[in-house]
Amino acid sequence: MSFQAEIEIFLHALTAVLVIWGGLQDWRQREVADWLTWPLFVMGLGTAVFRAVRLDFLPLTICVFILSVWYFNWLGGADARVMVGLWGLWPIAGLMGMVCTGMWGLVFVLRKCGKERIPALVTVAVGVTIQLFVELFRLRGSI
């Protein structure tokens, strides 16, 4: 295993710990501390802009979409900051977080739960955890 792969897994694991911690806060208190979400947001948005300079526009496009969804009050502030951070730093984990949130929302629609609000950061944390395990198992197979 290369040193770059080890650093990448370490950074992904650190990001996953922050998102899981935020998910636990969201589950318990329905609120997430700003000190947990703002650094992720700033680093993710900066990385998305840097990727756009290298002609990789998808993360920045998704970040703009997430911020517009937040602007229309369809997504909480902490949820938006974490999703922007994920799409900038670890796009596949951002996708997994969105997929898990969408699946959970579909369950709510099919069960006709009305206008219940779900703590979205919990489902994002589940998606990030799944992606981290996928990467760890893929890495283990290449040793």
Side-chain angles (χ1 to χ4, degrees), residues 61-76:
T61 305
I62 299 295
C63 289
V64 169
F65 172 74
I66 291 167
L67 290 174
S68 64
V69 168
W70 166 79
Y71 178 78
F72 288 111
N73 218 10
W74 297 335
L75 187 65

Side-chain angles (χ1 to χ4, degrees), residues 35-46:
W35 66 265
L36 223 126
T37 60
W38 277 108
L40 195 58
F41 173 78
V42 170
M43 288 187 297
L45 191 58

